[in-house]
Amino acid sequence: MIIVPVKEGENIEKALKKFKRKFEKTGVVKELRSRQQFNKPSVLKRLKMEHAIYVQKLRAKED
């Protein structure tokens, strides 16, 4: 359960922003979307490899 302490006189929009940030960090929505459809293990492996190559290229550009 996500708890957002609200200080006396604090704006409700600010509290909602805090809640949304905490909710995003938990990754609930991301996991829910990934569970809505089944991906074959070979496809997941390929996507993971493509992401690793992409990250390596980005790091190579930084140096």
Side-chain angles (χ1 to χ4, degrees):
M1 179 193 275
I2 299 174
I3 298 172
V4 179
V6 180
K7 297 176 185 172
E8 190 71 31
E10 187 178 14
N11 196 354
I12 193 72
E13 282 84 22
K14 196 170 185 180
L16 273 172
K17 243 183 187 179
K18 283 183 188 178
F19 173 77
K20 286 180 184 179
R21 263 188 263 132
K22 281 188 176 185
F23 187 73
E24 283 289 321
K25 284 185 181 180
T26 61
V28 174
V29 176
K30 189 175 183 180
E31 185 178 339
L32 178 68
R33 287 184 181 151
S34 70
R35 287 180 182 224
Q36 284 181 345
Q37 80 179 41
F38 177 76
N39 291 322
K40 294 179 2 183
S42 59
V43 173
L44 292 176
K45 185 178 176 184
R46 187 181 71 234
L47 290 174
K48 193 174 182 182
M49 184 66 95
E50 288 174 357
H51 179 70
I53 292 169
Y54 173 75
V55 169
Q56 279 184 342
K57 285 182 182 178
L58 283 179
R59 289 188 179 156
K61 284 183 180 180
E62 287 179 357
D63 294 335

